[in-house]
Amino acid sequence: MEEDCYATQLINANGEFNRDGLESFLKKVKLADCGLSYAVVAIMGPQSSGKSTLLNHLFRTNFREMDAYSGRNQTTKGIWIAKCIGIEPCTIVMDLEGTDGRERGEDDTTFEKRSALFALAISDIVLINMWCHDIGREHAANKPLLKTVFQVMMRLFSPRKTTLLFVIRDKTKTPLELLEPILREDIQKIWDAVPKPRGHENTHLSEFFNVVVVALSSYEEKEEKFKEEVAQLRQRFLHSISPGGLAGDRQGVVPGSGFSFSAHQIWKIIKENKDLDLPAHKVMVATVRCEEIAREKFNQLTHDEDWLALENAVERGPIPGIGKKLSSILESYLHEYDTQSTYFDEGVRNAKRQELESAILDLLYHVYTTMLGHLRYKAHENFKIRLENSLKKGEGFASSARACAESSIHDFDQGCADAAIQQAGWDSSKAREKLRRDIDAHASTVCSAKLSEIVVKYENQLSTALTEPVESLLESGERDTWASIRKLLKHRTEVEISAFSSAVSGFELDKAKMTTLVQNLMDYARNVVVKKAREEAGKVLILMKDRFSMVFNHDTDSLPRVWTGKEDIRTITKEARSASLKLLSVMAAIRLDEKPDEIENILFSCLMDGIVAHPSSRDRSIGTSSDPLALSTWDEISPEDTLITPLQCKSLWRQFKAETDYTVTQAISAREAYRQNNSWLPPMWAIVAMVILGFNELMLLLRNPLYVLILFVVYLLSKALWVQLDIEGELQRGTLAALLSVSSRFLPTVMNLLRRLAEEAQGYAVPKAPTQSESVVSQSFRQQTPQANALSSSIPESSVSSNISSSDDGVEYSSPNVTHRRTTNIQEEEIST
């Protein structure tokens, strides 16, 4: 297919820029794909000077040419643009409206100056078409136009090294070698006369323009010669931007993708006559285009399916090799940006590239931080698992924690290196520090938990080892009880502390921490003893009564006592009360500091020796110095170590004596009953007196057998009454009780016995069951008979309960009233000690 030039009007006769037409033209010629490998050629000159004809022959375009047979008039209106056919690199040619035309009238110079300036601003090569016979003239040779264009161009734009190709048309016999110097001299004069901006006063023309002069024969008179010379000139446009070409040293080239924007802005600047230079405009063009490219690439990234899939995947968990994937994404889009912006201003291009890179990195940073979060969590969890497994194997805590922490942090560092993006240089030190803090916090928590477990274990062992032995020692109430407790406490504490120190050696605790733990363990052991002592002191009255009962009711061989009448109840009672008082003295205070005290001596001297005041003397002041127990503290015993105050001891002793007096009374009653049961016969002297004094009566009985018979019958009746009344059993309950019981049942029993005898004499049996009246009377009488004088106590000591209530002078011990009677003066004397 034959190549097309796609001729399009760029600027119409009214100066309106055809941007849509230019965009369409650039897409057709694919200028954006050329980058910087393209050239722009413009032609300017007088109207009807053959500019379009020259371009059509030179570049094979199809610009409209003037029809000579129609007259000389304006053919090209405004500025047209077309692609050169068969020229490499891609070359765009602009055909400008001719100058000095009659159609424009007085406004003609304004448009021609604008168009000329526009051509010089965007073109690499500007063809200036002029007639040979106009050389040396002032106006015909476009000198005023060039002067104005140079001046405005110097003011509005900075130099961009444009090639000025003067095409001398219809050359004459005058050699070109003579015409060229004249033309160059005129151009130099124009340049020298142009006012230059500050900094360019001494700038040479060659720094702004390359001046080239060629001559062509007349197209109408020597057409073949003209075409031949044009063909030769065409060869000079091949590879025109290569070094040594017509535009080989051009500067400030706008990439093909920014040509449309650049051309439009330049025309806008020219029309508004703004004070902007070409590099600033170039920067503006580059800024806009590079921003567009960068924005386009960033938007493409945000909608990239691979990127979105990667972003979603990293939210669910760590991804191996994510750093390389992120780097690949960044490099891919930066490469695309570089490819599309490579021909724009380098400074702007690099700046926008950095902005694009920064924007992409900001987008990727979220993924990176999420990945670090996964890595930190994974490392933390791995530390927990490794530490737990290491501790299960019995390894030391401190060494295990260090090794597991180093291993976990090493894994984290490797993961960070794998997730790092080379271009970013992100720092993972904060995440690493947070991981270290998390690991240290977990290690500290586990350490505290393990130490607590060990401490609790040894506290339980101490509690088990001390509680029962201390309880047993306190209940024994021996003189050396507290010495034994101190020895036990010291021994068990040393054993457990030694074992505890070995158990916590793997924690590598500092000296202060270890000292604190050991001291806490020692304090705990002491508190176990103190707590147990306070518990035992709370039930001291029960313990005292149990101790009294044990000593009073058992002999030295721990066998139960049988009150045969030979025992010294006074001595036994004193021994039993001494043992109970000794127990009270042991329970009165905590003696773990081996300080001597006089508690036992004070208690024995006041309570056993009778110094303590009588209970009835309540109106006396308890604060007098004459009563050592009328105090609320013990000498040489701190309040913290006091278990039972002197006032409480005094009250306890009163209650103790009241509750144990009944036991002594029962023992005395049992002894008297035993004596009576085993001594019912009269004394020997009484028997001898009865024999001497009753000798006559005895002889009377022997002389008269009837008396003997009567005595025998009386004996039988007495024996029957003895059995029926169970006198022996009644005597075991006490003499007085026996007399009362027998007297109440004597008459009914005699009547019952006589009735039986009468019924037997009549020949029929009598029911053995007692009559209802007898049973009722007997039962009623028995209910009215006191049972206080039983042979042995029917109420066990443990049934006597005691209560402790608060009072003004300390703790008051009270118990149920125990009613008993002292039968004889001898009993009263033996009870009191």
Side-chain angles (χ1 to χ4, degrees):
M1 181 180 294
E2 186 177 354
E3 191 175 1
D4 193 356
C5 65
Y6 306 112
T8 304
Q9 187 177 38
L10 181 61
I11 300 173
N12 62 18
N14 297 325
E16 296 176 355
F17 194 91
N18 184 13
R19 189 166 186 178
D20 293 338
L22 178 60
E23 292 286 349
S24 177
F25 169 79
L26 295 179
K27 289 181 180 179
K28 291 177 181 179
V29 301
K30 299 180 181 179
L31 188 64
D33 297 338
C34 296
L36 298 179
S37 298
Y38 73 98
V40 179
V41 180
I43 189 169
M44 56 185 288
Q47 181 176 310
S48 301
S49 61
K51 299 188 297 297
S52 299
T53 301
L54 175 61
L55 293 179
N56 290 337
H57 285 81
L58 184 60
F59 300 114
R60 299 176 186 174
T61 56
N62 58 0
F63 291 119
R64 181 183 176 188
E65 300 178 9
M66 184 185 71
D67 187 1
Y69 298 100
S70 300
R72 300 183 67 85
N73 51 27
Q74 187 180 40
T75 304
T76 303
K77 296 180 180 181
I79 300 175
W80 286 75
I81 189 171
K83 177 185 178 183
C84 300
I85 304 301
I87 300 295
E88 291 295 337
C90 179
T91 301
I92 305 299
V93 62
M94 290 192 301
D95 188 9
L96 276 64
E97 180 180 319
T99 62
D100 198 19
R102 67 179 179 85
E103 288 81 3
R104 285 284 179 181
E106 62 179 359
D107 192 44
D108 182 66
T109 57
T110 301
F111 184 80
E112 69 182 27
K113 290 178 181 178
R114 288 178 177 177
S115 61
L117 183 57
F118 179 74
L120 289 174
I122 69 171
S123 301
D124 300 309
I125 304 170
V126 177
L127 301 177
I128 301 176
N129 200 39
M130 60 185 301
W131 302 110
C132 180
H133 53 359
D134 286 337
I135 296 175
R137 296 179 181 180
E138 185 66 24
H139 293 279
N142 286 329
K143 288 182 180 180
L145 178 60
L146 286 177
K147 183 177 181 180
T148 302
V149 169
F150 284 170
Q151 181 177 351
V152 176
M153 188 172 181
M154 288 293 294
R155 182 167 59 88
L156 296 182
F157 307 111
S158 294
R160 59 185 306 269
K161 201 71 171 182
T162 303
T163 299
L164 298 178
L165 179 58
F166 288 87
V167 180
I168 301 174
R169 302 290 298 274
D170 297 347
K171 64 180 178 177
T172 62
K173 293 181 179 180
T174 304
L176 180 61
E177 292 78 6
L178 297 177
L179 296 175
E180 183 176 352
I182 297 173
L183 187 57
R184 288 183 179 273
E185 183 180 355
D186 292 340
I187 295 173
Q188 185 64 46
K189 288 179 180 180
I190 296 172
W191 177 258
D192 294 339
V194 170
K196 301 176 181 61
R198 182 179 300 178
H200 294 283
E201 294 86 353
N202 300 321
T203 302
H204 195 271
L205 176 65
S206 60
E207 295 182 15
F208 280 76
F209 302 100
N210 293 321
V211 179
V212 179
V213 181
V214 296
L216 298 176
S217 300
S218 174
Y219 175 70
E220 294 180 355
E221 297 178 0
K222 300 177 181 180
E223 184 176 355
E224 295 300 328
K225 182 68 173 177
F226 173 81
K227 291 181 179 180
E228 182 181 347
E229 291 172 348
V230 169
Q232 292 176 359
L233 179 59
R234 176 184 172 85
Q235 295 300 318
R236 299 185 68 177
F237 285 92
L238 296 175
H239 308 291
S240 59
I241 63 175
S242 300
L246 288 175
D249 56 350
R250 63 180 181 167
Q251 299 174 1
V253 182
V254 176
S257 59
F259 180 79
S260 175
F261 177 80
S262 175
H264 182 263
Q265 292 298 317
I266 288 175
W267 180 251
K268 183 178 180 181
I269 293 169
I270 292 173
K271 289 185 67 175
E272 296 176 358
N273 197 19
K274 292 185 178 179
D275 295 333
L276 295 176
D277 57 16
L278 191 57
H281 175 70
K282 176 185 174 181
V283 169
M284 179 182 62
V285 174
T287 301
V288 173
R289 281 297 299 143
C290 290
E291 285 182 352
E292 291 178 353
I293 296 172
R295 191 181 305 112
E296 178 186 356
K297 296 308 167 187
F298 185 79
N299 291 334
Q300 288 180 2
L301 173 59
T302 56
H303 295 85
D304 191 326
E305 293 183 358
D306 294 337
W307 156 250
L308 294 176
L310 181 64
E311 186 179 22
N312 293 331
V314 80
E315 292 290 341
R316 296 190 294 269
I319 300 176
I322 191 173
K324 293 182 179 179
K325 296 179 181 179
L326 295 177
S327 298
S328 175
I329 292 174
L330 178 62
E331 285 294 336
S332 173
Y333 281 92
L334 290 179
H335 178 71
E336 292 181 8
Y337 170 84
D338 292 337
T339 300
Q340 297 184 20
S341 64
T342 183
Y343 302 115
F344 289 99
D345 182 78
E346 182 178 1
V348 176
R349 182 177 73 243
N350 292 338
K352 297 304 177 182
R353 186 183 193 276
Q354 291 179 357
E355 292 179 4
L356 175 62
E357 182 177 0
S358 178
I360 295 177
L361 289 177
D362 289 342
L363 184 64
L364 302 183
Y365 187 72
H366 171 69
V367 174
Y368 176 74
T369 55
T370 303
M371 183 66 183
L372 290 187
H374 290 312
L375 293 174
R376 189 180 70 250
Y377 176 79
K378 182 179 180 181
H380 190 205
E381 293 300 315
N382 288 340
F383 170 77
K384 294 180 181 178
I385 296 173
R386 289 170 179 169
L387 180 61
E388 183 178 358
N389 294 335
S390 180
L391 294 179
K392 287 181 179 179
K393 295 178 182 178
E395 300 179 6
F397 178 84
S399 59
S400 299
R402 281 196 302 270
C404 295
E406 292 176 359
S407 178
S408 297
I409 291 178
H410 177 70
D411 293 345
F412 176 78
D413 291 339
Q414 287 184 337
C416 290
D418 181 66
I421 300 177
Q422 299 176 355
Q423 301 88 334
W426 289 326
D427 186 11
S428 62
S429 59
K430 291 185 178 180
R432 192 176 191 272
E433 291 175 1
K434 189 176 188 308
L435 173 61
R436 169 62 73 177
R437 291 195 299 269
D438 292 343
I439 288 177
D440 292 343
H442 180 72
S444 178
T445 301
V446 175
C447 178
S448 299
K450 294 296 182 182
L451 283 177
S452 298
E453 291 178 3
I454 296 175
V455 169
V456 169
K457 172 185 176 182
Y458 284 92
E459 285 179 349
N460 292 336
Q461 292 181 185
L462 276 173
S463 181
T464 303
L466 292 174
T467 301
E468 293 185 0
V470 169
E471 180 180 358
S472 177
L473 289 172
L474 288 174
E475 290 179 355
S476 66
E478 301 297 335
R479 188 179 299 274
D480 61 344
T481 293
W482 283 105
S484 300
I485 291 176
R486 287 194 296 269
K487 183 177 180 181
L488 173 67
L489 175 62
K490 181 179 179 181
H491 173 68
R492 295 309 309 174
T493 303
E494 289 177 351
V495 170
E496 299 301 333
I497 287 177
S498 177
F500 174 77
S501 300
S502 300
V504 300
S505 60
F507 289 85
E508 299 181 7
L509 302 175
D510 54 47
K511 186 176 180 180
K513 179 68 174 178
M514 189 64 188
T515 302
T516 302
L517 291 175
V518 170
Q519 185 61 44
N520 291 340
L521 205 59
M522 295 174 65
D523 293 342
Y524 180 83
R526 182 185 178 95
N527 290 335
V528 169
V529 175
V530 171
K531 181 180 179 181
K532 194 61 186 177
R534 294 189 184 280
E535 290 179 2
E536 294 300 311
K539 54 182 181 180
V540 63
L541 183 60
I542 297 175
L543 296 176
M544 290 172 64
K545 291 190 295 182
D546 290 344
R547 175 60 56 83
F548 177 85
S549 178
M550 178 63 67
V551 176
F552 188 80
N553 293 322
H554 296 78
D555 58 18
T556 56
D557 296 329
S558 298
L559 297 176
R561 292 184 187 275
V562 177
W563 303 105
T564 62
K566 300 179 181 179
E567 293 82 4
D568 187 355
I569 293 181
R570 179 190 296 272
T571 303
I572 293 174
T573 302
K574 187 173 183 178
E575 290 177 357
R577 287 180 174 174
S578 296
S580 299
L581 189 60
K582 186 179 295 183
L583 178 62
L584 178 62
S585 67
V586 170
M587 294 288 190
I590 299 172
R591 302 174 179 86
L592 294 178
D593 298 328
E594 300 188 40
K595 293 181 180 180
D597 60 77
E598 298 296 328
I599 294 178
E600 183 176 355
N601 295 335
I602 292 173
L603 289 178
F604 272 88
S605 63
C606 293
L607 301 180
M608 292 297 296
D609 297 341
I611 298 178
V612 64
H614 194 272
S616 63
S617 59
R618 297 182 181 273
D619 56 340
R620 299 180 183 179
S621 174
I622 63 174
T624 59
S625 59
S626 60
D627 188 358
L629 297 181
L631 301 174
S632 59
T633 58
W634 297 104
D635 294 338
E636 301 178 352
I637 300 295
S638 64
E640 293 79 10
D641 292 338
T642 300
L643 298 178
I644 305 174
T645 64
L647 283 172
Q648 293 171 348
C649 289
K650 185 176 179 181
S651 177
L652 277 170
W653 186 254
R654 291 172 181 169
Q655 187 171 353
F656 168 75
K657 288 186 63 179
E659 295 185 9
T660 56
D661 282 349
Y662 180 73
T663 302
V664 177
T665 301
Q666 293 293 86
I668 294 173
S669 299
R671 185 187 63 177
E672 293 302 320
Y674 185 87
R675 286 178 178 178
Q676 292 177 5
N677 291 335
N678 291 278
S679 302
W680 60 275
L681 293 175
M684 185 58 66
W685 61 269
I687 296 175
V688 172
M690 290 172 62
V691 170
I692 294 175
L693 295 177
F695 180 78
N696 294 330
E697 287 75 4
L698 179 62
M699 293 304 296
L700 178 62
L701 292 174
L702 293 175
R703 290 190 188 103
N704 190 349
L706 181 60
Y707 291 151
V708 176
L709 179 62
I710 293 172
L711 289 176
F712 180 72
V713 172
V714 170
Y715 170 75
L716 292 178
L717 291 174
S718 299
K719 184 65 175 177
L721 290 173
W722 182 277
V723 174
Q724 288 292 327
L725 295 175
D726 191 17
I727 295 176
E728 184 177 359
E730 294 292 341
L731 289 175
Q732 291 180 356
R733 298 168 56 191
T735 304
L736 180 60
L739 290 174
L740 294 174
S741 178
V742 169
S743 61
S744 63
R745 293 186 298 157
F746 179 77
L747 183 59
T749 304
V750 172
M751 295 299 294
N752 186 33
L753 184 61
L754 294 176
R755 187 167 50 254
R756 288 182 180 180
L757 292 175
E759 291 174 352
E760 289 178 357
Q762 294 177 4
Y764 59 91
V766 180
K768 296 182 180 181
T771 64
Q772 182 177 2
S773 60
E774 178 191 359
S775 177
V776 171
V777 172
S778 177
Q779 183 176 0
S780 173
F781 188 81
R782 287 180 182 179
Q783 289 177 354
Q784 295 176 2
T785 303
Q787 303 296 326
N789 293 328
L791 292 176
S792 60
S793 176
S794 62
I795 304 176
E797 291 296 331
S798 59
S799 66
V800 181
S801 61
S802 62
N803 299 319
I804 303 177
S805 61
S806 176
S807 63
D808 295 338
D809 57 351
V811 177
E812 180 180 352
Y813 291 76
S814 62
S815 64
N817 294 329
V818 180
T819 305
H820 59 277
R821 309 174 71 183
R822 301 183 180 182
T823 56
T824 61
N825 293 333
I826 297 175
Q827 292 175 356
E828 293 178 359
E829 180 181 357
E830 291 180 351
I831 291 174
S832 62
T833 57

